[in-house]
Each structure stands twice: as C-alpha cells, then as structure tokens.
Amino acid sequence: MNIKRIISTFWKEKILLLRDPGGLAMLLIMPVLLIVTMAIVQDAPFKDYQDVSFKILWADADHRLLSDSLKSMFNKSPQFELIDSIEGRPLSKLQVYQLVKRGNYSIGIVITKGSYAEILNRTNKILNLIGSAGGQPSIIPVRQEIDSLNVVLLFDPVAKSTFKMAVQNAVEKMLFKVQMDILFSKLGRTPDGVSAVDSHSGNIQSLLGEKLIVKNLGKVKSSSLVMNSVQHNVPAWIVFAIFFLIIPLSGNYIKEKGEGTRWMIGMTRGSHMDILFGKVLFYTCFGLFQFIFILIISNLILPYVGLPTLEIGWSVFPAMAATLGIAFAAVSLGIMIGTLFNTYHQAMMFGSIAIVILSAIGGIWVPIEVLPPTLQYLAGISPLQWGLHLFQDIFLRGIEWKTYFLEIGLLLIFGMICLLIAFYFHRLQTKKAG
Amino acid sequence: MDGILLSGLYKQYKKQLDLALDDVNLLIPAGKITGLLGPNGAGKTTLILIICGLLSETKGKLQHVKGNENTELDRKDFGLVPQQDGLFGELTLRENLLYFGRLNQMKEKLLRGRIDKLTDVFQLVPHLDKKIKHFSGGMNRRANILVSLLPDPEMIILDEPTAGVDIQSRALIHHIIKELNREGKTIIYTSHLLSEAQELCDLIAIFDHGKLLLTGKPEELMHKFQKNSLEELFLTYTGNKVRD
C-alpha cells in the first residue's frame, strides 16, 4: 500500500466532487429537504394521541347539567377542541351530521333533548337499589323503562378504527364521570346514606381510578426524550443520504473504467488497492461531513416549521465514529457496484433501487416496528438498518458500548467484504476478460 | 539483439470462438520504433495490452532479452498511450499531470520539473490550467502522450497516437516520437496511416485475424515483395475486404 497514491486519489476525488454541483446538491441539499419534508409529513403519526388536539363539532339540544359537564370536561382537556358554533350561530344536529359526513371534521357529538333526564333517572334507580340493599324502601320516584342515553358520537366514515376507539373511550369515561358525580352528590343528600357511603367513597373512587402499572423496558436515555418524527427522521435520512453516496461514487468509478482512463491508471506503478483506498478514504470523510452538515442545517430549519430539533446531548463523538462506520459500508458498497457493473445506467439503476429497497426494509421510511413480521426479519440484512439502529442507540436508548462496537464492527466487516469483492472482480476483469 | 521477445503468444477472449492472438512470435528490438499494423480487429490493441501487463495471455511467453540473457518482463519502465483518451475531463491539465505523476510515485520536485519541460515540448504551457474537457482533439492526444512520458519510461507504447488529430499536432507528435527514439527509447506504435508508419518505423509487423503475417524493415519488405508502397504491400497481405 502506498500512502502517496492513496492521498493523491483522495485529492483527485475531492476536486471531482467539488466541481460537480449537481452531485453535491444531491448529497447535501436533497437530504435536508427530505428530512424536513418527512419530519413534517410524519409528525402527526408519530405523536401520541395525548399530544394531538382533535376538533369536535358540538350540537346541544338539551342544555342541562349533562351538556354543561361534558362541555366543561372537553374544554379542560388539551386533547379536544370543541366547536359549538359557526359564524356565531350554534351548530344544529343536522349541520354536525353533514359536516362530519362530508369529511370536513372527523368527530361530532350531538346531545339530544332529554339526555340529562335519562341519566338522572338511571342514577335514581341506582340510589333506590343501594337503599333497598340496606333494607330501606325505594324513596326516589323513577321512571321504570330505560331509554338509550341519546348522546350521539359521529365519525367521519374514513376515520381509522384505532382513532375511533380512542375517542369513544374518552367520551365514555367522561359520561361515566358525570354519572358518578350525580350519584355521589345525591348520596350526600340522603340522610341515612351519608355516613355509610362517605366512609367507603374514597375506596370506591380509588378503585375506579386505579391506574395500570406501566413498565418501560430497557434503558431510556432521558425521560424527556421521546421517539418523535424528528428523532426518527433526522438519523434515518442521514443514513439514507450517506448511502446515497453510492450513486455518484459508482457512476464516477464506471466512467473511470472507460478504456482510456482504466489503462492509464493501470499503467501507474502500484496496486489498484491504493486507488480503492483513496476513494474509500475521501468518500468516508465526505460521509462524515454530510452528517455534520445535514445535522446543523436540519436543526436550524426544523424549528421554523414547528418541529423540535434532534437531541444529541453529549454523544457527538460516538455519533461521528458511528457515521464513519456507516459511510465506510456505503462507500465500499458503491465501489463494489461500480466494479460489478459495466455501464453508468446499469449502476445508477441498480444502486438507486438497491438503496430504496434496503432503506424500506431497514426502517428508514417508517419505524421497523410497524413493518410486517417478514420484513422485520429481513431488516436484519440491511446495512441501513444497522446504521439506523446504531444512531437510535446513540440518540435515544443510550450507548451500551458492547452493542455499539459490535454494530460498528458489523458495518466495517460488510465494507471490507464489499471491497474484497470489488478488488477480486477488478483483477478478473482487467487480467482475464479484457 | 536486445528487446522484448514474444514466443507462441495466444489470446482467446471469453465467449468468443476466434483467437484474438494466434501463435505470435516476434522480437521487438530495443531502441527502435516498431510499427504494429493491421486492419480493425487484427489483434494489435490486444497485443499492446498484453505487453503492458494489463491483459493476461492465454498461452505463450513474454521475455526481456539482454545479451544472452532472457529475463521476465518488468513493466515498471513502460509508458502507454491508449487509443481512447484517458485523462479526467473535469480536471485541468496540471491537475491531471500531478495526479498521474503522484500515482507513479514521482518525487514532487522531479514531477514539477518534468511538467515544466514536457508541457513546453508539447506546446501546452498556455493550457496548463484549462480543463481537459475543453481541449481540442489534437490537444487531448498531446496531453495523453505527455502524461505517459512523465515518469520517463524506457519503452513507450502508442496506440494510434495520431488518430483524429490535425496536421500540426500530427507533425509535432511525429517529431516527438523521433526525438524520443533518438534518446534511445524503445517505441511500439500502431496506426492505420501506412505512410506515417513507413516514415517513422524501423521495423513493421503486419497482423490479421490475430496472426502475424509479415515482419521486417519497411524498405526491405517493399523491395522483397516488389511493391511501391507499404499500403500496396498491406493490401496484398490483408486483402480488400472491408472490416467491421
């Protein structure tokens, strides 16, 4: 191996790339645009329902305590934004039906006349049941037949079932709370029931309000750090952009394989491996530059489009080392493609389609968890997935050094295998096939 | 006689039935200009690439002959000017020269000295900082020859060096080839321009279908076969059939 040959190839590649504004734009500007666009597009799906504010149309034909209580709960909840009038006029049941059906809004709630009377009747029945269980006769007058509650929840037909379920659960909880409030307030006014129920009401409420035990498995880097579209998209598309190096690299390499240049370089004194290492060195360093550039520019732009910035914390140097590993794997793959294919178009087509497929199964487009099981299994063969996993370890989960070095090692081994294949086929093409 | 000895040389490309080289036996004399002549597909470029070590022969031997000693061919001192232009269009002439010089592991001072000298000889000094893609055909050929001469090789192999160049550039290239030969360099040269070969070459070898048909000094061959020109001799041996 000759350092002078490696450095001069590095120098030549630098000049060639700097004089290719189209190639530079593809490697630096396009990924930034991609990151910003994808982060915006995927922002909502990445947010928890708690973070999303749903607009709900509201038509009230009852105007009693049930409507007031529900309205007050909706107004207190950051999840919901009630719209009860349009252009200063209260919404009617028909308007709500039409607006939701047309898809202008996803949810509508209609409180029909008599809803409060019905919930009151039900509560009185419960009170009579409690009284009779204590040996007392029914003292509150009730209507024997039970009507449906007549709080109507309307959904846009194309709304997703998980979304419907989440909203339905929230509204049911609110109705239940209203009913419980009425029940407890009436119990408080029943002279004999006060002491008996009050002494247990704390227990009842605590049982009703008992929360699920939630456990987070694995180490979370920071309690404030959550998987949002930025935390997913910035590292994911940086990995994608680095692998996009394959396109100009394999293209340049094929041009270089054109008869004249190939023979001119072949006649120089030294091994072809020097030329390959010079290319690998330059493009790997450029991959690191890409990482820094995209990170800085993305973090400058993202706040302007209402998105958070990527949190790196103190992981800058491990992230840079990881980037070098990812870039090495990408560049070596590019050289292998450039060696195996004979024409520029073949390499372009194969290179770009290979990156898209590897990125799709590698969790770049969407998190790997939402892929079908077969694709999740296949993700293991994508070097883009290894790179993304490495970045997620650094930015989200926190670094476990054993895994960190193992993942970098995997990328380096992949790169070395690609280079050896490239070198082998270069010799074969030069010496045998002509 | 000193030189390069080719013995029983064969070359067959993959998936091709015909032999590209078929039992070639030839001594290329040191310090002389040898012209490899033949129609398209005769095997000239294949032979050149095998001599340079860029292609492997299917069978046969290539040796360096010095006195009574035959040794393995050492390609370190060979310079090749391929048929197709081999410089980087996006780089300037100076950058190309620096790149190829450094790939040849030349010392920086020596390299810059050679660049100054050779660009002057090839009349390319005003174009040193111009990108190769903006060069004319003649400038491009001169630049390609210049690059191959940078490490000052003992043997220079030129594959159709004057193809597609203007009269002035051709005259300059002829002059340079003669000068190099005068310095004692061995030159192997291919061309379709037989008058050029007649003017330049000490020895010619006529090939067709991979076979070496005829070899000797141009004047002696013309005299022996009673032909008035090399072209007449060439057509007698290779026929009038147009080649693809």
Side-chain angles (χ1 to χ4, degrees):
Chain A
M1 201 179 295
N2 186 284
I3 298 295
K4 191 167 188 175
R5 283 166 60 85
I6 294 174
I7 291 171
S8 44
T9 305
F10 182 101
W11 170 81
K12 184 260 294 178
E13 294 295 336
K14 184 198 81 181
I15 297 175
L16 287 180
L17 190 63
L18 288 179
R19 290 188 186 156
D20 179 11
L24 276 177
M26 193 178 80
L27 294 173
L28 296 173
I29 309 298
M30 292 303 284
V32 172
L33 293 176
L34 205 57
I35 284 172
V36 174
T37 310
M38 294 306 283
I40 294 170
V41 168
Q42 293 189 358
D43 190 38
F46 265 93
K47 282 184 176 168
D48 296 329
Y49 280 126
Q50 283 77 5
D51 300 333
V52 181
S53 176
F54 299 113
K55 285 182 178 170
I56 298 182
L57 294 180
W58 176 266
D60 183 8
D62 199 36
H63 298 290
R64 295 193 63 189
L65 188 64
L66 174 65
S67 324
D68 295 345
S69 302
L70 279 176
K71 208 170 182 179
S72 142
M73 277 188 266
F74 274 123
N75 285 332
K76 276 180 198 164
S77 167
Q79 242 182 304
F80 299 107
E81 185 191 332
L82 276 192
I83 299 171
D84 57 1
S85 60
I86 289 179
E87 292 170 357
R89 295 167 68 182
L91 283 166
S92 70
K93 181 180 165 183
L94 188 66
Q95 275 179 302
V96 172
Y97 265 90
Q98 284 172 340
L99 287 168
V100 175
K101 198 176 175 186
R102 272 190 237 131
N104 297 22
Y105 293 87
S106 298
I107 324 165
I109 292 179
V110 177
I111 313 288
T112 50
K113 198 166 177 58
S115 294
Y116 178 66
E118 179 53 34
I119 206 166
L120 202 59
N121 189 46
R122 286 181 186 205
T123 314
N124 286 341
K125 277 190 169 189
I126 294 168
L127 282 168
N128 281 342
L129 282 172
I130 294 170
S132 63
Q136 290 190 357
S138 297
I139 53 167
I140 305 171
V142 292
R143 185 168 27 89
Q144 285 310 312
E145 59 276 13
I146 294 172
D147 286 343
S148 56
L149 194 54
N150 281 335
V151 173
V152 184
L153 202 52
L154 303 164
F155 284 110
D156 176 5
V158 297
K160 284 183 182 172
S161 57
T162 46
F163 167 72
K164 286 181 188 172
M165 201 106 80
V167 174
Q168 194 179 331
N169 284 340
V171 174
E172 274 173 0
K173 270 188 179 175
M174 286 180 183
L175 281 170
F176 181 68
K177 190 174 183 307
V178 172
Q179 197 170 7
M180 289 306 289
D181 285 349
I182 297 168
L183 183 68
F184 278 104
S185 71
K186 279 188 172 269
L187 276 171
R189 272 193 264 130
T190 309
D192 294 333
V194 174
S195 57
V197 176
D198 274 359
S199 61
H200 295 292
S201 61
N203 291 340
I204 294 167
Q205 284 198 337
S206 69
L207 281 171
L208 287 168
E210 194 175 359
K211 285 181 179 142
L212 289 170
I213 298 164
V214 179
K215 282 184 180 177
N216 284 314
L217 298 176
K219 201 164 85 177
V220 177
K221 196 177 172 189
S222 158
S223 57
S224 64
L225 211 54
V226 288
M227 184 60 149
N228 56 37
S229 72
V230 168
Q231 290 297 132
H232 170 77
N233 277 299
V234 176
W237 294 106
I238 287 178
V239 173
F240 185 80
I242 292 173
F243 268 84
F244 231 75
L245 281 172
I246 288 175
I247 307 292
L249 173 61
S250 57
N252 283 348
Y253 193 58
I254 283 191
K255 272 188 205 163
E256 211 164 280
K257 271 169 61 180
E259 299 284 287
T261 317
R262 175 187 180 179
W263 303 138
M264 292 282 256
I265 293 176
M267 283 306 288
T268 58
R269 295 161 189 180
S271 163
H272 182 69
M273 213 49 172
D274 299 336
I275 310 288
L276 293 190
F277 278 134
K279 285 176 186 295
V280 169
L281 190 65
F282 170 72
Y283 279 98
T284 303
C285 292
F286 187 80
L288 183 62
F289 172 72
Q290 253 186 318
F291 169 77
I292 296 166
F293 178 86
I294 295 171
L295 208 62
I296 291 172
I297 301 296
S298 301
N299 275 357
L300 285 174
I301 294 174
L302 289 172
Y304 287 101
V305 291
L307 293 168
T309 53
L310 179 81
E311 291 188 40
I312 308 170
W314 298 99
S315 314
V316 175
F317 290 108
M320 284 165 82
T323 306
L324 288 174
I326 295 165
F328 176 73
V331 168
S332 306
L333 180 63
I335 287 180
M336 189 181 82
I337 291 173
T339 308
L340 295 181
F341 290 93
N342 291 322
T343 69
Y344 188 77
H345 292 291
Q346 279 175 356
M348 291 296 99
M349 288 297 286
F350 180 86
S352 46
I353 292 172
I355 300 167
V356 170
I357 292 172
L358 288 174
S359 63
I361 63 169
I364 301 291
W365 301 85
V366 288
I368 204 162
E369 295 76 23
V370 302
L371 295 176
T374 326
L375 286 186
Q376 284 192 28
Y377 183 74
L378 277 176
I381 61 161
S382 169
L384 280 88
Q385 162 59 17
W386 308 339
L388 179 59
H389 197 264
L390 195 53
F391 274 157
Q392 285 175 345
D393 278 353
I394 295 167
F395 297 139
L396 285 166
R397 298 184 193 99
I399 301 168
E400 286 203 13
W401 292 107
K402 194 179 161 189
T403 321
Y404 174 78
F405 286 117
L406 200 73
E407 285 169 335
I408 291 186
L410 201 59
L411 287 161
L412 295 181
I413 290 169
F414 173 82
M416 286 308 293
I417 291 171
C418 289
L419 277 186
L420 286 174
I421 292 172
F423 188 63
Y424 172 77
F425 276 94
H426 170 81
R427 282 182 70 86
L428 209 65
Q429 287 165 356
T430 310
K431 287 282 185 179
K432 302 288 179 197
Chain B
M1 194 192 288
D2 294 350
I4 294 171
L5 181 65
L6 316 175
S7 334
L9 213 56
Y10 289 86
K11 175 69 186 177
Q12 183 162 31
Y13 289 107
K14 275 180 187 172
K15 297 174 189 171
Q16 283 191 21
L17 288 175
D18 294 335
L19 288 168
L21 289 180
D22 187 356
D23 193 20
V24 174
N25 295 283
L26 177 69
L27 177 70
I28 297 165
K32 305 278 181 195
I33 303 175
T34 303
L36 306 180
L37 311 176
N40 290 336
K44 306 183 297 288
T45 301
T46 300
L47 182 60
I48 279 178
L49 293 176
I50 288 175
I51 292 171
C52 291
L54 295 169
L55 269 186
S56 60
E57 62 280 6
T58 308
K59 209 169 110 184
K61 231 187 237 180
L62 292 98
Q63 288 171 307
H64 188 242
V65 181
K66 197 166 187 184
N68 293 325
E69 213 177 318
N70 287 11
T71 54
E72 209 170 299
L73 214 56
D74 182 6
R75 273 105 175 184
K76 267 194 296 190
D77 286 332
F78 288 13
L80 169 71
V81 182
Q83 213 174 91
Q84 293 91 348
D85 295 325
L87 305 185
F88 293 94
E90 278 300 325
L91 300 187
T92 63
L93 174 62
R94 190 191 303 277
E95 287 162 347
N96 268 292
L97 292 170
L98 286 172
Y99 176 58
F100 282 101
R102 286 166 185 162
L103 281 192
N104 275 308
Q105 302 171 46
M106 291 174 72
K107 292 217 162 61
E108 210 60 22
K109 198 178 166 190
L110 173 70
L111 173 61
R112 290 185 189 271
R114 291 284 294 166
I115 290 174
D116 288 345
K117 184 184 167 191
L118 289 170
T119 46
D120 186 42
V121 170
F122 280 87
Q123 300 174 24
L124 286 168
V125 176
H127 310 292
L128 261 170
D129 296 310
K130 200 188 269 184
K131 284 183 186 174
I132 293 291
K133 68 176 181 184
H134 297 133
F135 274 28
S136 68
M139 283 161 73
N140 216 326
R141 283 318 280 164
R142 280 187 274 149
N144 273 267
I145 299 171
L146 199 165
V147 169
S148 73
L149 296 180
L150 269 180
D152 200 15
E154 278 306 308
M155 174 178 276
I156 301 142
I157 302 165
L158 304 117
D159 198 359
E160 300 188 25
T162 53
V165 303
D166 57 15
I167 305 293
Q168 285 77 9
S169 287
R170 184 180 297 164
L172 180 65
I173 292 169
H174 286 185
H175 172 74
I176 290 165
I177 290 174
K178 284 178 190 163
E179 278 302 309
L180 288 167
N181 182 238
R182 213 164 287 148
E183 287 170 22
K185 310 274 185 204
T186 305
I187 292 163
I188 300 177
Y189 151 95
T190 76
S191 180
H192 287 292
L193 302 169
L194 298 174
S195 55
E196 184 179 283
Q198 195 174 334
E199 179 199 331
L200 288 173
C201 297
D202 300 308
L203 183 87
I204 57 160
I206 299 177
F207 288 82
D208 200 10
H209 300 297
K211 283 183 192 293
L212 175 60
L213 303 178
L214 206 62
T215 180
K217 291 180 181 172
E219 298 303 326
E220 283 178 10
L221 286 174
M222 283 190 291
H223 183 257
K224 184 177 172 187
F225 294 100
Q226 295 183 338
K227 302 290 177 191
N228 295 323
S229 69
L230 207 53
E231 190 171 326
E232 213 180 309
L233 180 72
F234 184 83
L235 286 172
T236 308
Y237 273 84
T238 58
N240 286 310
K241 194 182 168 192
V242 176
R243 309 300 169 88
D244 297 324

